[in-house]
Amino acid sequence: AVAAASSLATNSNSNHAAGSAVKTAFVSVLSDGVTLVMHSTKGVQSTINMDLVGNELRLKAHKAVFATGTSSKKSYKLPLESILFVEIGKGTSVLRGGAAISVDEEVCFSLITVDTTYDFETSSKIERDAFAQGFTMLLEETKQLDALL
């Protein structure tokens, strides 16, 4: 797997090299951790820390406040290989309702798995596009590596 990743990263194609540099920068940012807003099926909006540890995305809520006034701190571990694709905009029912209803579509994206969606709000369209592109590249690489194994 390491040799396959190395050969993918050293491809001489200039477009691939530029993409590889973007992916490397994205992985570095995720490894350091980023703060986003996550929306849930219960209509809850949480500020979360997202970081990448190996091939696992870790999401940890700062504090979620429910409509009832109660709060909770949830955390999730999401293996990259369980993510099917990235959807930009408000394509999920979570982002079309609840606390997300007033959020601009241009700052939303979702990570789609077989079982659920992980729905996020960023601070700008540029940031949303960067997350969508970064995750798409990570998922493509994960699928290529899985095909080689």
Side-chain angles (χ1 to χ4, degrees):
V2 173
S6 176
S7 79
L8 287 173
T10 57
N11 187 321
S12 61
N13 181 317
S14 63
N15 286 340
H16 186 82
S20 183
V22 170
K23 183 191 66 69
T24 300
F26 183 67
V27 167
S28 177
V29 167
L30 279 183
S31 296
D32 290 343
V34 295
T35 300
L36 291 172
V37 174
M38 184 173 168
H39 293 270
S40 78
T41 55
K42 295 178 181 161
V44 178
Q45 152 181 324
S46 306
T47 301
I48 59 125
N49 278 344
M50 174 189 286
D51 60 324
L52 185 65
V53 179
N55 275 347
E56 184 176 77
L57 197 58
R58 296 192 181 168
L59 311 169
K60 184 170 180 158
H62 292 201
K63 186 176 185 183
V65 180
F66 297 92
T68 60
T70 60
S71 66
S72 103
K73 287 186 177 186
K74 291 206 173 206
S75 63
Y76 304 91
K77 292 180 180 179
L78 179 60
L80 290 178
E81 61 267 11
S82 71
I83 302 170
L84 301 175
F85 62 94
V86 180
E87 185 165 324
I88 60 170
K90 294 173 102 171
T92 67
S93 60
V94 169
L95 290 174
R96 289 190 303 266
I101 202 158
S102 63
V103 176
D104 187 346
E105 181 166 358
E106 290 190 344
V107 299
C108 297
F109 76 97
S110 302
L111 300 177
I112 311 297
T113 70
V114 170
D115 300 321
T116 192
T117 64
Y118 294 85
D119 302 283
F120 303 97
E121 172 187 339
T122 63
S123 62
S124 69
K125 181 182 185 308
I126 291 171
E127 186 179 55
R128 188 273 316 264
D129 291 347
F131 275 103
Q133 180 183 14
F135 277 118
T136 299
M137 290 190 319
L138 279 180
L139 297 178
E140 286 173 1
E141 181 178 89
T142 299
K143 288 175 186 170
Q144 287 175 349
L145 291 175
D146 285 348
L148 294 173
L149 299 179

